[in-house]
Amino acid sequence: AQTVTQSQPEMSVQEAETVTLSCTYDTSENNYYLFWYKQPPSRQMILVIRQEAYKQQNATENRFSVNFQKAAKSFSLKISDSQLGDTAMYFCAFISMMDSSYKLIFGSGTRLLVRP
Amino acid sequence: DVKVTQSSRYLVKRTGEKVFLECVQDMDHENMFWYRQDPGLGLRLIYFSYDVKMKEKGDIPEGYSVSREKKERFSLILESASTNQTSMYLCASSRDARSYNEQFFGPGTRLTVL
């Protein structure tokens, strides 16, 4: 069974600095997608970034980028120039391309606090 | 923009009551999902639906049922609420069966069962 592990329950970073959130996963499959979702306090969860496992190039979205290490089954999120609005719970998630249930498997989340 | 709405932000019910949580999406998405979010456990899938009147069990379906009579609406039903069902419930939808499609989430319903 696939699993997703986020080993950092809480992190904090000074505004304008860079922070990296860790995520590891376990799967025997070759074709899958990985996601980072953000859940701000009392607001809806939104997609931050998506990575396709067959693409070697790391995905980037403005200040958000990932370090995807397929062999190590690692998928970390780097937030550059942190802003107060980045304060949120961040969830790493996995979905198999072979799984007809279209089921996202989530990690337990990392609560990020950006300090002014 | 996709909009996913849930009928209540906060709900308080008594043990044994039948509870209905409603979710509506406005973008003609095929897939809809119900998750439960608990601290330290992330999100766990309760049920999902890939078409009207079609449903599949997720990881934790016990104590829950669902209904999808119309494409835009997906209901979660707690037949007899228990205190261990106190949690945050999130509804989500995605366009179709392709696994890379983004899931769009509702604001959540925080349910307390006394």
Side-chain angles (χ1 to χ4, degrees):
Chain A
Q2 292 98 346
T3 58
V4 177
T5 302
Q6 293 178 250
S7 58
Q8 306 151 314
E10 293 185 353
M11 293 191 72
S12 70
V13 63
Q14 198 74 32
E15 192 176 9
E17 293 187 347
T18 295
V19 63
T20 298
L21 308 185
S22 301
C23 173
T24 58
Y25 59 94
D26 189 22
T27 183
S28 58
E29 297 177 12
N30 254 328
N31 298 320
Y32 50 87
Y33 291 90
L34 294 160
F35 305 83
W36 278 98
Y37 278 87
K38 169 185 177 182
Q39 186 180 40
S42 301
R43 290 175 58 192
Q44 284 165 254
M45 183 143 18
I46 57 173
L47 179 67
V48 175
I49 201 164
R50 167 174 43 213
Q51 175 77 42
E52 299 157 75
Y54 60 87
K55 284 191 176 178
Q56 291 189 339
Q57 186 173 7
N58 289 327
T60 62
E61 287 287 341
N62 301 313
R63 297 182 295 106
F64 298 87
S65 62
V66 298
N67 183 5
F68 174 49
Q69 302 286 332
K70 191 172 183 179
K73 297 179 183 174
S74 170
F75 182 60
S76 60
L77 176 70
K78 186 171 84 171
I79 307 174
S80 304
D81 185 26
S82 297
Q83 300 176 359
L84 297 179
D86 295 334
T87 291
M89 280 289 288
Y90 287 83
F91 292 96
C92 178
F94 166 101
I95 193 166
S96 165
M97 291 177 68
M98 306 303 293
D99 187 349
S100 61
S101 71
Y102 329 122
K103 187 171 71 175
L104 266 177
I105 300 169
F106 286 87
S108 54
T110 296
R111 187 178 302 278
L112 176 67
L113 173 67
V114 180
R115 304 186 307 273
Chain B
D1 280 352
V2 175
K3 193 169 182 183
V4 181
T5 57
Q6 296 183 228
S7 50
S8 306
R9 289 301 300 270
Y10 299 94
L11 209 52
V12 179
K13 295 292 181 181
R14 297 257 177 224
T15 301
E17 279 192 81
K18 191 168 186 175
V19 181
F20 292 87
L21 303 183
E22 304 284 336
C23 175
V24 177
Q25 50 92 6
D26 66 357
M27 285 300 290
D28 202 35
H29 282 180
E30 291 184 7
N31 295 346
M32 296 188 75
F33 308 82
W34 274 108
Y35 292 94
R36 173 177 169 157
Q37 181 180 1
D38 298 289
L41 296 178
L43 278 72
R44 294 177 291 167
L45 183 65
I46 304 171
Y47 268 97
F48 72 98
S49 169
Y50 51 89
D51 201 352
V52 175
K53 297 191 186 295
M54 305 304 289
K55 60 186 179 186
E56 292 279 347
K57 292 181 180 178
D59 295 320
I60 51 166
E62 297 78 18
Y64 304 95
S65 62
V66 290
S67 172
R68 194 167 179 199
E69 296 296 320
K70 292 184 178 181
K71 192 173 186 179
E72 68 270 19
R73 187 179 298 270
F74 191 36
S75 303
L76 180 69
I77 303 153
L78 286 66
E79 295 290 341
S80 177
S82 64
T83 54
N84 63 12
Q85 292 178 309
T86 291
S87 187
M88 171 71 89
Y89 290 88
L90 296 178
C91 175
S93 71
S94 67
R95 190 171 60 197
D96 54 34
R98 285 170 287 188
S99 55
Y100 56 79
N101 279 330
E102 176 182 355
Q103 289 190 18
F104 293 86
F105 285 82
T109 296
R110 188 168 293 281
L111 172 67
T112 302
V113 183
L114 303 175

